[in-house]
Amino acid sequence: MNIPAVLIVYSLPQVACEELKNSRMFMKILEAVLRTGNRMNVGTDRGDAQAFKLDTLLKLVDIKGTDGKTTLLHFVVQEIIRTECSHVSGANNHSVNNPQYTLQEEVDSMKLGLQVVSGLSGELANVKKAAVMDSDALSSDVSKLAKGIEKVAEVVKLNEESPLKEANQKFSEAMKGFLERGEEEISKIIAQEKNALSSVKDITEYFHGNSAKEEAHRFRIFMVVRDFLSILDGVCKQVGKANERTLVGSRQYVMPAVTTSTPIFPEFNGKQPSDSSESD
Amino acid sequence: MLSIGNCDTLGTELLESLLKMAPTEEEKTKLKEFKDESPFKLGPAEKFLKVMLDIPFAFKRMDAMLYIANFDSELEYLKKSFDALKVYIFFNFFLLISLV
């Protein structure tokens, strides 16, 4: 597979981008969700695998556990919050499954979990804001701005030709001063626009192959991602609420939603491969 | 102010409403032909327009000034939008690459 230009364009400096750096928890959850999705895809035909995998993301909410209520996505989100929070609160290296894990620690880690979940919604909001951005409208704004500067150029030209040129010198100077700066800024923003749009093209072609050439497919991957994000947002909120209820009930007795005696997702109940190294 | 070309002193709102007053070609000719000794008197708005017509290409100037006055905020908005789009594209890329 060819390395798309987007890989080069968005190499290290962009990876360090603040917004993403601050989304550690979000990336954790995403990673876990994707890993689960990948497990579901094992053994599927590689032919249209990428496109199929994208749709699997959306299917994660359709798969329900043995209790008939908990979806696979709920389960993954809940699990990752529990593991993460036991890392944060686990100054004594207690893990969730440790029998020594006390009631107080359980309550503390759940409170932390709630904070994390509420932060998550904010992070998702930023991504979603960009997701609904209309690139056509942006392009038309850019060309409007670029066209508008002709008005300034025209006025400067009229001034030069005017018999009252001397009297208008101040006006002329002000306009000329702007013209130089404005033209420079406009070529910069046009370059930025081209850069963004060609990345959209690259990324679509990379994941959709030749079908990306059909206009209908162009933004499909972005739509799947957008839909998935709103589903994930909803699930995180629900898990947060469920944790809150458990917290209220936990004054007498702690029974976290997921650690029931019969596993809700037997086939997924094993530890996540990369987590096992961190959580022991 | 029109002769100096200082866009900030007039403000975008005033420039916008002045531009809305721009007379048509027909109105321009009529205003130019108008003589002070005429039995009909001009209202304050018409008087103002007549003065404006004495400034060379006044409305073209105003249009250019309005553009300049809005330029920075428009540019800022576009820059921010493309920055956000860049983050979003990278985010998508990260997400999609994890799937492959």
Side-chain angles (χ1 to χ4, degrees), chain A residues 178-198:
Chain A
F178 169 81
L179 206 57
E180 208 170 296
R181 181 177 76 89
E183 277 168 351
E184 203 181 303
E185 293 284 10
I186 282 174
S187 53
K188 268 195 228 161
I189 202 82
I190 288 177
Q192 217 182 337
E193 179 205 4
K194 273 194 184 149
N195 183 307
L197 293 184
S198 78

Side-chain angles (χ1 to χ4, degrees), chain A residues 67-99:
Chain A
D67 66 347
K69 279 185 292 187
T70 313
T71 72
L72 189 50
L73 193 59
H74 283 87
F75 175 76
V76 174
V77 171
Q78 177 78 30
E79 273 302 287
I80 201 78
I81 288 173
R82 288 163 58 84
T83 348
E84 270 299 292
C85 296
S86 69
H87 285 323
V88 183
S89 66
N92 318 323
N93 272 339
H94 285 311
S95 88
V96 180
N97 300 324
N98 193 326

Side-chain angles (χ1 to χ4, degrees), chain A residues 171, chain B residues 1-18 48 52 58 61-63 65-66 69:
Chain A
F171 180 85
Chain B
M1 295 218 222
L2 274 179
S3 62
I4 293 170
N6 189 339
C7 309
D8 300 326
T9 34
L10 278 175
T12 52
E13 274 169 40
L14 183 58
L15 278 171
E16 269 165 18
S17 22
L18 283 173
F48 176 71
M52 293 285 273
R61 282 181 193 225
M62 279 190 271
D63 208 12
M65 283 166 80
L66 182 64

Side-chain angles (χ1 to χ4, degrees), chain A residues 221-232:
Chain A
I221 47 167
F222 294 99
M223 281 172 201
V224 172
V225 172
R226 191 194 56 199
D227 292 349
F228 174 69
L229 287 178
S230 42
I231 291 172
L232 186 59

Side-chain angles (χ1 to χ4, degrees), chain A residues 20 53 145 154 168 171, chain B residues 2-3 60-61 67 90 99:
Chain A
L20 289 172
K53 281 175 181 181
L145 194 71
E154 194 200 343
N168 286 325
F171 180 85
Chain B
L2 274 179
S3 62
K60 278 191 172 155
R61 282 181 193 225
Y67 172 80
F90 174 72
L99 285 165

